[in-house]
Amino acid sequence: MKLKKIKASDKDHKIGVRHGIWMLFSYIAGITFVMHFGVFNGERSENHQVIQLGYHIVWIMAAISITIFITAWAFIRLIKTHPTTTGGGAQYARTALGKYMSVLYSCFSIGVISLLFISMIVTLRTTLSVDNWLKEHVFGSWTNFVLDFGGVIFAVTAGITSYWGVHRFKKVSTFLSYASWTITGLITVIAFVLIFGGRTNTDGNGNPITPIESKLTFSWFQYAFIVFFFSYGGFETFISTGKAIKNRRKNLPIIVMVALGLTSLFFVLFSGLFLFTLISNFTDTPNLEIFKRLDILFKTKQQYFFGFGVTIIIVYMLFNRFNSITQMSYYGSNSVDSLVQQNFLPKKIGVTNANNVSTKGLLISICLSLILAVFFLLIPDSIEGITGSTSFFNFDSVAGAVGFIYISMYSMVILCAITLSLKKKITSKWWEIALWIGTVVFLMVILFYQIYQLINQMIPKENQTNSEYAQALIGALTQILFYCAIVATSLFIRFVIHPKLETQLSPQEVKQQDEFINQYYYASDVIEDDEEEVLTQKRESKAIQKRAV
C-alpha cells in the first residue's frame, strides 16, 4: 500500500524550544530599550535639575537584570509545580493567594498589554518625528495626530496577523526578527566605525560635543529603575501561552531563562557600547544619534531626506514594532484564558478558532488597546492640532505606568512562590526564599516611592510654568487612574460578574468546574508527566495513522 504524503501535524501549531527562545528574545530585546537613554542625559528635569545618569545606566541595567532573573526563577519554580501553565501568573495567584488575586493578576496582564500597544505607537511616532522635519515642512501642529493615527492603523494590522495562529505567526515573527537583528548588527558595525577613527566634532544636531556627565541620586535611580524595568517586560505574558508550547513543563523554563539571559547580556553590552561610542551628551536616542553622526561624517543628509542612517532606523522600527505588536496581540488573546477557565468570564469568550486562537479574547485585547489609544493619544493630539500647544501626554507616562504594573505583577508571583513554599506545597531551599523575600521588599520600596513621587508630582512647584505643571499633573493622574481602573475592574469581575455566572451553572456544570479547578489549579512537587501533553501526543499519533493510508 502506497503511503500518501503526510501534511504538517498539529505540532506545527506549537512552539518548540528554538523558536520559543528566538521569539521571546526578539520580543523582549531590541534597540528600542534605548528610547529612554536621552531622558537621562539632559532631556528630563526634576525640580529644574537636569537628570544625567550617564554611565550609571550600565550598572542599573545589570541590577534590573538580576532582579528579573530572581523573579523569573520564581516563575520557573511555579511552572514546574503546576500541572498546566495555561493560566500563567493568574493560575499561581489562584493556587497561593485565592480567587481575587487571580482576577487582579489577569486584569494587570490584559491592561499592561494594552499599554504596551500604545507604547509601540509612541515609539514609532518619536522615530518618525526626528529633527521635526514633518512638523516644520508638512503637517505642522497636526504632526503627532497624523503619525499616531497612522500608527494605530499599523498596530491594528499587526495585531490581526495573530488571528492566523502560531503556524503562520512563527513564520512572520521569524522573518521580522531576522530583519530587525540584521539592522542591529549594522548599528553595531557603525558604532565601531565611529569609535575607531570616525568621530565627529559635533553631535547629531550640529551642537558642540560635551562630555557625558554621570551623577546619581536615589530619586534618579528609582525613576531609571521603574522606566527601564518596562524594557524587560514580556516573558510573563509568554508564560500565559503555555498551551502553545511543546512539552511546556520541560521546555518553558528553558525558553524563559535562556531568552532572559540573552536579553540581559544584550542590554548591558549595548548600553556600554552606545555610551562609549558617543562619549558625549545627546538628544533623541543613542541609535538615532549614532546614525545622525554617520550622516554628518559621510554627508548623506539632504534637505528633503532623513538621511541614510535615520532611514535605516525607521525601517528597523517598522519591522520591530510589527513583530512586537503581533506577539503582544497573540499573548493578549490568551490573557483571558484563566478568567474563562475559572468562570469569571463567560465561556464563549474563550472559544478558539481552528488556529487555536481565542478570537473574542483577541478582539477584547485589540478593542481595549484602541480605546486607550484614542483616549491617551488621538484626543490629546487633536487638542494639540487645534490649539498648537504641546501635548501633555508623553512616553514617560506610558513607560512609568507599564513599569508600575509590571512591578506589581512580579511581586505577586514572588509572593506566590514564597506562600506555597511556606505551606509546603512546593519544596524550596532557604536561600531561594531569602532571595525572593529580599526582592519583594526591594520592589515594594521602589513601588511605594513611585507612588510618593506621583503624588509629589501633582503639587505645584516654584518657578514651574502652567504648561509644565499641567504636563506633570496629567502624567501622574494618568498612571494613578489607570492603576485604580484595573483594580476596580478586577473587583467588578470577582464580586459582580462571577457570582452571576455561578448561579447560571447547572449542578453537573458545577461539579465539572470543581473537578477542573481541583485537577489543574493546585501545586505539587510530585507531579509526573503532563497528562494533557500525553493525551495530545496520543491524538496526534492516531491522526497520523489515519492519514497514512
Side-chain angles (χ1 to χ4, degrees), residues 239-260:
I239 289 172
S240 69
T241 63
K243 65 183 180 183
I245 308 296
K246 296 177 184 176
N247 194 9
R248 52 184 165 273
R249 188 177 297 109
K250 176 184 176 182
N251 292 339
L252 198 52
I254 297 173
I255 291 171
V256 170
M257 292 306 287
V258 173
L260 284 178

Side-chain angles (χ1 to χ4, degrees), residues 320-375:
N320 183 273
R321 298 298 81 170
F322 195 95
N323 182 33
S324 297
I325 294 170
T326 302
Q327 293 197 51
M328 278 191 304
S329 299
Y330 178 74
Y331 303 149
S333 71
N334 288 278
S335 295
V336 299
D337 279 358
S338 183
L339 293 174
V340 172
Q341 288 172 356
Q342 299 177 74
N343 203 36
F344 291 120
L345 290 178
K347 299 292 183 187
K348 59 184 179 181
I349 292 178
V351 175
T352 59
N353 62 12
N355 299 310
N356 202 28
V357 175
S358 172
T359 52
K360 291 186 178 178
L362 177 62
L363 185 63
I364 289 172
S365 178
I366 292 178
C367 286
L368 178 59
S369 299
L370 283 174
I371 291 170
L372 293 180
V374 170
F375 183 75

Side-chain angles (χ1 to χ4, degrees), residues 301-312:
K301 178 73 168 70
Q302 305 298 324
Q303 182 179 1
Y304 298 106
F305 178 56
F306 284 119
F308 169 76
V310 176
T311 302
I312 290 293

Side-chain angles (χ1 to χ4, degrees), residues 45-271:
S45 62
E46 183 178 71
N47 297 330
H48 296 280
Q49 186 178 9
V50 173
I51 294 179
Q52 292 182 310
L53 287 171
Y55 295 106
H56 288 299
I57 289 175
V58 177
W59 72 260
I60 290 174
M61 296 296 290
I64 296 173
S65 297
I66 294 171
T67 305
I68 291 291
F69 266 102
I70 295 173
T71 305
W73 185 249
F75 269 100
I76 287 171
R77 292 289 287 113
L78 292 166
I79 289 170
K80 287 181 171 292
T81 54
H82 283 74
T84 64
T85 52
T86 5
Q91 182 183 13
Y92 315 144
R94 170 67 185 265
T95 302
L97 306 174
K99 286 185 176 182
Y100 173 68
M101 298 304 286
S102 178
V103 177
L104 180 60
Y105 186 95
S106 292
C107 290
F108 276 145
S109 182
I110 295 169
V112 81
I113 287 173
S114 298
L115 279 179
L116 287 172
F117 182 94
I118 293 176
S119 75
M120 301 296 108
I121 298 171
V122 175
T123 54
L124 279 173
R125 178 231 289 172
T126 303
T127 303
L128 291 170
S129 299
V130 62
D131 291 338
N132 289 321
W133 187 87
L134 289 175
K135 185 174 183 178
E136 293 174 1
H137 296 89
V138 185
F139 300 116
S141 61
W142 287 94
T143 300
N144 283 345
F145 179 86
V146 172
L147 293 178
D148 284 339
F149 187 77
V152 169
I153 296 173
F154 175 85
V156 171
T157 304
I160 293 173
T161 303
S162 63
Y163 173 83
W164 285 278
V166 172
H167 182 54
R168 294 184 182 178
F169 166 53
K170 285 193 297 186
K171 294 181 179 180
V172 173
S173 177
T174 301
F175 169 75
L176 293 175
S177 296
Y178 280 127
S180 300
W181 286 106
T182 298
I183 296 174
T184 301
L186 179 61
I187 293 173
T188 306
V189 171
I190 293 173
F192 280 108
V193 168
L194 292 175
I195 290 173
F196 297 105
R199 297 196 186 278
T200 60
N201 296 321
T202 61
D203 64 16
N205 293 323
N207 301 317
I209 286 180
T210 57
I212 290 178
E213 295 186 37
S214 299
K215 301 176 182 178
L216 185 68
T217 67
F218 179 78
S219 176
W220 294 3
F221 165 77
Q222 182 272 340
Y223 182 79
F225 188 93
I226 202 166
V227 171
F228 278 111
F229 205 81
F230 153 85
S231 301
Y232 283 82
F235 76 89
E236 77 296 327
T237 49
F238 189 87
I239 289 172
S240 69
T241 63
K243 65 183 180 183
I245 308 296
K246 296 177 184 176
N247 194 9
R248 52 184 165 273
R249 188 177 297 109
K250 176 184 176 182
N251 292 339
L252 198 52
I254 297 173
I255 291 171
V256 170
M257 292 306 287
V258 173
L260 284 178
L262 292 173
T263 300
S264 299
L265 183 65
F266 172 78
F267 281 171
V268 172
L269 290 179
F270 251 64
S271 296

